[in-house]
Amino acid sequence: MVMTAEKTETLAAEIRKLAAGKNALILAHNYQRAEVQAVADYTGDSLELARIAADNPAEIIVFCGVHFMAESAAILSPEKKVLIPDPTAGCPMADMAIEDDLIAMRGRYPDAMVVTYINSSAGVKALSDVCCTSANAVKIVQRVEARRVIFVPDRNLGRWVQRFTDREIIQWKGYCPTHERFSAEDLAEAKRLHPDALVMVHPECRPEVIDMADEVFSTGQMVKFVQETDRTKIIVGTEEGMLHKLRSAAPGKDYILASKALVCPNMKKTTLEKVYAALANEEPVVSVSSGMREKALGCLRRMLELSG
Ligand code: CIZ
Ligand code: SF4
């Protein structure tokens, strides 16, 4: 359903009122729809948002993002009610790592440490040694106390990290379908149309795309970069929602999406109507069983220690 601007504003105002009345905090990932980002108290990457959820006194967290992100918030704040507006908003990359396969992989490489990208289920985190994000993956792999690392689940991020370390990385075969669809041809065309633009891409992109970029950044690093750079025309090689985030963080610049393929269908499942319904009904709730939570929390804590 397409909403008029007026209807969008009315619904956003109702959501704000409801959230205030319930002492609820609305968090939106950088890849969410513009109107969902606009209604949120905070926008950010998955780790930033999970930390905000843990530090904030709100009793209810409405997490506008995909399932593993809401789960990470639930792991860091077990006393809070974490709501996800659309429970079917999953991450196909996270689904590419399942617990049994990781147990088997550990069996094959008993000397290796398992470094797991935050884009993974709580169950997979619980079986891992240390977590990482796209912002700190290089640092974490460089600092683990093992010569060999099993890197789960993103082979593109894993291959990017391998460029900076002499640790041997055993790559899992996962990938983000959205970043994978973004081809070198797409980027060549964007560069042809905008020869004066700087190119920044996410490390979930294919290696040949990464080779064509000026900068390779996590979403948080992209925000910092555009706030500091003098460059005013930037080709952005990550999910489309990021353009909204960049425009609000550093307005007055020209941001160009590198490819029409860069739209994550799961990220777009969250609409204002669903945010409203989740707040009104206080469901669906995302929770993690206490045994699994303890172990997954250990994996996240080791990341914070190693990256600090
Ligand atoms: O960790 C995140 O939020 C993701 C998925 C991307 C990024 O680079 O921030
Ligand atoms: Fe998962 Fe890719 Fe969508 Fe992020 S953009 S939620 S990694 S499928």
Side-chain angles (χ1 to χ4, degrees):
M1 190 178 68
V2 179
M3 279 204 288
T4 61
E6 201 184 326
K7 265 195 176 162
T8 302
E9 247 172 59
T10 310
L11 188 50
E14 282 171 19
I15 290 170
R16 295 301 331 151
K17 211 164 95 188
L18 198 53
K22 291 192 176 210
N23 190 21
L25 188 71
I26 303 175
L27 304 177
H29 189 263
N30 294 331
Y31 295 163
Q32 289 286 291
R33 293 170 184 274
E35 66 273 20
V36 173
Q37 292 193 36
V39 86
D41 294 287
Y42 296 96
T43 58
D45 67 27
S46 54
L47 181 61
E48 269 166 9
L49 295 178
R51 292 176 103 165
I52 291 169
D55 293 343
N56 192 282
E59 291 155 42
I60 297 176
I61 306 293
V62 184
F63 205 112
C64 306
V66 294
H67 194 266
F68 79 82
M69 298 179 175
E71 237 180 17
S72 300
I75 291 166
L76 290 182
S77 15
E79 73 294 352
K80 289 178 184 151
K81 194 186 259 187
V82 179
L83 306 173
I84 186 162
D86 187 327
T88 73
C91 170
M93 182 213 281
D95 294 342
M96 290 176 194
I98 60 167
E99 293 163 42
D100 286 350
D101 292 344
L102 182 51
I103 293 168
M105 187 75 134
R106 288 201 86 125
R108 277 203 293 285
Y109 301 99
D111 61 316
M113 281 183 80
V114 177
V115 178
T116 294
Y117 190 25
I118 194 154
N119 292 38
S120 54
S121 68
V124 165
K125 286 188 182 79
L127 289 169
S128 304
D129 294 302
V130 52
C131 196
C132 74
T133 66
S134 46
N136 63 26
V138 170
K139 199 190 261 182
I140 298 287
V141 171
Q142 283 172 341
R143 291 183 178 180
V144 291
E145 284 167 17
R147 294 292 313 145
R148 287 219 273 197
V149 166
I150 300 170
F151 193 86
V152 186
D154 185 10
R155 64 179 181 204
N156 287 338
L157 179 60
R159 289 186 284 201
W160 168 246
V161 172
Q162 184 69 83
R163 298 184 189 201
F164 303 94
T165 177
D166 55 9
R167 302 270 194 282
E168 182 196 343
I169 301 184
I170 298 147
Q171 307 288 0
W172 200 265
K173 290 193 172 57
Y175 58 88
C176 162
T178 299
H179 286 85
E180 190 84 1
R181 273 195 305 274
F182 163 36
S183 68
E185 290 74 36
D186 294 345
L187 185 51
E189 178 64 4
K191 287 174 82 157
R192 194 184 64 76
L193 292 171
H194 308 280
D196 52 336
L198 177 130
V199 178
M200 61 181 189
V201 306
H202 196 275
E204 286 174 22
C205 294
R206 296 163 172 272
E208 63 271 25
V209 168
I210 284 180
D211 287 338
M212 293 166 67
D214 297 304
E215 306 287 352
V216 181
F217 289 144
S218 72
T219 63
Q221 290 165 339
M222 287 182 182
V223 170
K224 197 160 177 285
F225 178 80
V226 300
Q227 286 171 331
E228 289 169 359
T229 183
D230 295 334
R231 300 292 291 266
T232 54
K233 200 167 178 191
I234 301 168
I235 295 175
V236 182
T238 194
E239 210 280 338
E240 173 269 345
M242 194 62 203
L243 269 65
H244 177 81
K245 172 75 180 191
L246 296 173
R247 284 184 192 120
S248 34
K253 293 182 193 251
D254 198 2
Y255 301 106
I256 300 139
L257 188 65
S259 161
K260 285 202 284 287
L262 283 164
V263 179
C264 172
N266 281 284
M267 280 289 174
K268 302 308 177 206
K269 283 184 177 175
T270 310
T271 59
L272 286 184
E273 285 91 342
K274 290 178 194 173
V275 174
Y276 182 86
L279 254 175
N281 305 327
E282 297 188 21
E283 59 177 22
V285 174
V286 172
S287 61
V288 180
S289 69
S290 62
M292 186 185 283
R293 182 189 159 262
E294 278 302 313
K295 291 186 188 141
L297 184 60
C299 172
L300 284 164
R301 282 218 179 106
R302 276 189 292 282
M303 166 179 74
L304 299 177
E305 285 160 19
L306 279 183
S307 63

